[in-house]
Amino acid sequence: MVVLAVHGGAGGDGPWRGMTDADPQRIACMAALLEELGERLNNGDLDALEAVTLAVEAMENEPLFNAGRGSVLDENGNVGMDASIMRGVDKAAGSVIGLTTTRHPVRAAQHLLLQGWPVMLAGPSGDDFGKRHHVEQMEPSWFETELRKAQWEKWKAQRLRPGATDEEDALLDHDGEQDGWGTVGAVALDARGQVAAATSTGGMTGKPVGRVGDTAIIGAGTWADQTIAVSCTGVGEAFIRTVAAHSMAVHHRTEGLEKAALKVLEEVGPLGGRGGLIAVNTDGEVVMPFQTMLMYRGVYADGTCQVGIGPDLIQS
Amino acid sequence: MVVLAVHGGAGGDGPWRGMTDADPQRIACMAALLEELGERLNNGDLDALEAVTLAVEAMENEPLFNAGRGSVLDENGNVGMDASIMRGVDKAAGSVIGLTTTRHPVRAAQHLLLQGWPVMLAGPSGDDFGKRHHVEQMEPSWFETELRKAQWEKWKAQRLRPGATDEEDALLDHDGEQDGWGTVGAVALDARGQVAAATSTGGMTGKPVGRVGDTAIIGAGTWADQTIAVSCTGVGEAFIRTVAAHSMAVHHRTEGLEKAALKVLEEVGPLGGRGGLIAVNTDGEVVMPFQTMLMYRGVYADGTCQVGIGPDLIQS
């Protein structure tokens, strides 16, 4: 059997309040890519590595997710994108930090993985590397959408307002539309029984220039080994400090997928972490837990697609 | 009991060939800092976090180690320094990537840890952050020593020589003087029974601009939790792909310190990793294994200092 699971970020507190006007577009993006890529995985046309790359590229293309075009804006109003990818069978990995012109950061990360060395590139070098490997380059302004500019303006106004000292509050948009969630990721099990994982993000609105979250960090936001592939999303610092994706793999060895995932979320919680993860193992089992109000997510398995945002998955 | 252990990098193949002319100075640096800081740890004047910070600062000050002043030069002949630090009791962490003007990268990382958020800063932001926190700033040229310039010239000549395609060969200096090893790190157990770890590096001679090795990565080069602190050194990419420092903590839970350390080195080996690590647990046990020709290292425990380079430790 083959599996492809994706997430489009986790966030929010309290009970699920139902879809926003923008959510059907996010759902449609996930459903379409799962259907197309799931089928190709099933046919053996795609291996796990290329499947997660294409899945993340499709979400980088969707401006309502916080990755690629539509990434949120940093404290200076600019885009800076991180991505990482890992192949389970040989633990090959690639990671890029702070890209500003590469249309598909996950593709640049995949080229690093395939090249073999180095694993990580930060700053303009990552864009230069992408360019040398024919990953499409765009003007920085191409990534900036009206929605993200509006969210940034609001962030800036709130930040400057006296008393707006609670960083997290200031970063949340209380009108219900997510802002700065929307990190995207994918995990896959291919027809040869091998797994891979990839994650891509614009970070969080108003983030300090140069801040690196868990998305770019092998072991924190992304992990794959010979038995499991994991992609995380949430308040990145807690995922770094618990090496969350690797911790998932470690717990999985002794406790199975469900319990392992809950343990990871229990570990990040006390460090201020709120978020979720998706994981698939080589038995074809999948989990997609989250401790936030919602997590955009979907899965293709056994020829069937399911997608969801709140507690329930629906067949697409 | 209190413990302070340090390393000054691992490297080389084959049997130990004895000290180079420069080694007594490295030994003297480690012996002096172990004696001074070990005593202060013993007296309760220092906690583990400040002890590892001061230990790494002392090695950043020694130009014969590859961190701070005396860092090796990248492909363009410039210095770019990475460091990270972690406190076990609360898993607080800080990391800086690609610094060019901060005299003590580990101190900037400690300020990030103490501030709490974000955990990681890459690029000029890291230097700016250091500056705002009164970490001494220097001209980039201040970090460049004659030795490192000579090593860089040699690297460049070898790289440009037709047939010099084996990257690793080109990076090694076959005259016996180490080149591009010398990442420094420290782990400590303080009088309150708490541990911390820190690591700092200039990377490797001729590294691509923007390349990030394991030193900056929490879980790869540096890890500390409630029972163990770990600092790694070696071919960084393999340590990233195995999340080596975290893996050490995981194996330690079930297998004890000695066996856990050997397992980690066995994991990095097949991925091209050669190196070593130092670790201390809250029982006061210490290991300092390496799979290379040498690892500069030293330990203060029970009021006694021991230092070494090759297979044997000597009392200092």
Side-chain angles (χ1 to χ4, degrees):
Chain A
M1 82 176 290
V2 303
V3 174
L4 177 64
V6 297
H7 68 78
D13 286 317
W16 168 235
R17 295 195 295 266
M19 291 212 279
T20 66
D21 292 348
D23 282 342
Q25 189 173 327
R26 297 189 181 100
I27 287 283
C29 169
M30 292 191 293
L33 78 89
L34 286 169
E35 206 145 312
E36 185 208 325
L37 300 176
E39 194 124 321
R40 290 176 63 190
L41 256 181
N42 221 2
N43 297 342
D45 287 349
L46 288 180
D47 63 11
L49 182 73
E50 186 61 16
V52 297
T53 307
L54 290 171
V56 168
E57 283 191 343
M59 289 190 283
E60 285 173 342
N61 274 341
E62 170 51 65
L64 289 175
F65 289 122
N66 174 17
R69 181 153 192 270
S71 285
V72 299
L73 308 183
D74 69 18
E75 61 183 341
N76 292 344
N78 299 316
V79 163
M81 301 172 286
D82 303 338
S84 67
I85 187 166
M86 192 164 190
R87 180 166 64 192
V89 65
D90 58 357
K91 290 193 179 129
S95 160
V96 286
I97 291 172
L99 302 192
T100 62
T101 61
T102 299
R103 178 169 178 175
H104 289 300
V106 73
R107 181 63 65 180
Q110 202 222 53
H111 279 290
L112 273 174
L113 180 155
L114 295 174
Q115 176 175 292
W117 190 91
V119 168
M120 301 183 73
L121 280 178
S125 303
D127 287 312
D128 293 345
F129 175 85
K131 194 172 178 184
R132 284 201 307 278
H133 288 80
H134 311 292
V135 185
E136 195 173 357
Q137 301 294 305
M138 313 301 283
E139 288 299 314
S141 60
W142 178 84
F143 295 90
E144 301 166 9
T145 63
E146 291 309 311
L147 174 65
R148 298 313 187 190
K149 286 182 197 169
Q151 288 173 336
W152 182 83
E153 293 290 351
K154 191 163 179 178
W155 167 81
K156 198 161 173 67
Q158 287 178 330
R159 288 270 294 188
L160 298 178
R161 200 181 57 200
T165 52
D166 185 336
E167 184 125 14
E168 220 156 78
D169 260 10
L171 291 170
L172 291 178
D173 179 330
H174 295 288
D175 298 344
E177 182 53 35
Q178 56 100 334
D179 164 22
W181 318 338
T183 292
V184 307
V187 296
L189 168 67
D190 65 25
R192 293 181 304 168
Q194 299 182 355
V195 295
T199 316
S200 180
T201 192
M204 54 207 302
T205 300
K207 69 178 176 180
V209 173
R211 176 252 186 188
V212 185
D214 65 313
T215 298
I217 307 301
I218 298 301
T222 303
W223 179 256
D225 59 25
Q226 277 161 342
T227 58
I228 193 169
V230 187
S231 172
C232 298
T233 175
V235 179
E237 278 68 13
F239 288 77
I240 293 174
R241 291 165 55 197
T242 57
V243 201
H246 183 244
S247 184
M248 175 70 195
V250 169
H251 291 314
H252 173 250
R253 288 175 208 156
T254 52
E255 318 210 30
L257 208 61
E258 296 275 356
K259 274 194 193 166
L262 295 178
K263 272 210 164 179
V264 169
L265 296 186
E266 278 169 23
E267 286 168 0
V268 298
L271 305 188
R274 296 171 307 138
L277 62 87
I278 58 174
V280 62
N281 65 19
T282 45
D283 295 330
E285 297 175 303
V286 184
V287 283
M288 303 191 286
F290 54 101
Q291 66 208 142
T292 42
M293 181 180 71
L294 62 81
M295 182 167 78
Y296 297 93
R297 65 203 188 281
V299 59
Y300 173 97
D302 294 327
T304 306
C305 286
Q306 289 185 299
V307 291
I309 307 178
D312 303 317
L313 289 177
I314 50 170
Q315 200 143 329
S316 76
Chain B
M1 82 178 287
V2 303
V3 174
L4 178 63
V6 298
H7 68 76
D13 285 317
W16 167 237
R17 294 196 294 266
M19 291 212 278
T20 67
D21 291 348
D23 282 341
Q25 188 174 328
R26 297 189 181 99
I27 287 284
C29 169
M30 293 192 293
L33 78 88
L34 287 168
E35 207 146 309
E36 185 207 326
L37 301 175
E39 194 124 320
R40 290 176 61 190
L41 257 179
N42 220 2
N43 297 341
D45 287 349
L46 289 179
D47 63 11
L49 183 72
E50 186 60 16
V52 296
T53 306
L54 290 172
V56 169
E57 283 191 344
M59 288 189 285
E60 287 172 342
N61 274 342
E62 169 52 65
L64 289 174
F65 289 122
N66 175 17
R69 180 150 193 272
S71 285
V72 300
L73 308 183
D74 70 17
E75 59 183 343
N76 291 344
N78 299 317
V79 162
M81 301 171 287
D82 303 338
S84 67
I85 187 165
M86 191 164 191
R87 180 167 65 193
V89 64
D90 58 357
K91 290 191 179 130
S95 159
V96 286
I97 291 173
L99 302 192
T100 62
T101 60
T102 298
R103 177 168 178 176
H104 289 299
V106 72
R107 181 63 65 179
Q110 202 221 53
H111 279 290
L112 274 172
L113 180 155
L114 294 172
Q115 176 175 291
W117 189 92
V119 168
M120 299 182 76
L121 280 178
S125 303
D127 287 313
D128 293 345
F129 175 86
K131 193 173 178 182
R132 285 202 306 280
H133 287 80
H134 311 294
V135 184
E136 195 174 358
Q137 301 293 305
M138 313 301 283
E139 288 299 315
S141 61
W142 179 84
F143 295 90
E144 301 166 10
T145 62
E146 292 309 312
L147 173 67
R148 297 314 186 190
K149 286 182 199 170
Q151 288 173 338
W152 182 84
E153 292 291 350
K154 191 164 179 176
W155 166 82
K156 200 163 172 67
Q158 287 178 330
R159 288 272 292 187
L160 298 178
R161 198 181 58 199
T165 53
D166 184 336
E167 183 124 14
E168 220 156 78
D169 259 10
L171 289 169
L172 290 179
D173 180 330
H174 294 289
D175 298 343
E177 181 54 33
Q178 56 99 338
D179 165 21
W181 317 338
T183 293
V184 307
V187 295
L189 168 67
D190 65 24
R192 294 181 305 168
Q194 299 182 353
V195 294
T199 317
S200 180
T201 193
M204 55 206 301
T205 300
K207 69 179 176 181
V209 173
R211 176 253 186 185
V212 185
D214 65 313
T215 299
I217 308 303
I218 297 301
T222 303
W223 179 257
D225 60 24
Q226 278 161 343
T227 58
I228 192 169
V230 187
S231 172
C232 298
T233 175
V235 179
E237 278 68 13
F239 287 76
I240 293 174
R241 290 165 56 197
T242 56
V243 202
H246 183 244
S247 185
M248 175 70 197
V250 170
H251 291 314
H252 173 249
R253 287 175 208 155
T254 52
E255 317 211 30
L257 207 61
E258 296 274 356
K259 274 195 194 166
L262 294 179
K263 272 211 163 179
V264 170
L265 296 187
E266 277 169 24
E267 286 167 1
V268 299
L271 305 187
R274 296 172 308 138
L277 62 86
I278 58 174
V280 61
N281 66 18
T282 45
D283 294 331
E285 297 175 303
V286 184
V287 283
M288 303 191 287
F290 53 101
Q291 64 208 145
T292 40
M293 181 179 71
L294 61 83
M295 183 167 79
Y296 297 92
R297 65 203 188 280
V299 59
Y300 172 97
D302 294 326
T304 306
C305 286
Q306 290 184 299
V307 291
I309 307 178
D312 303 317
L313 288 177
I314 49 169
Q315 200 142 329
S316 76

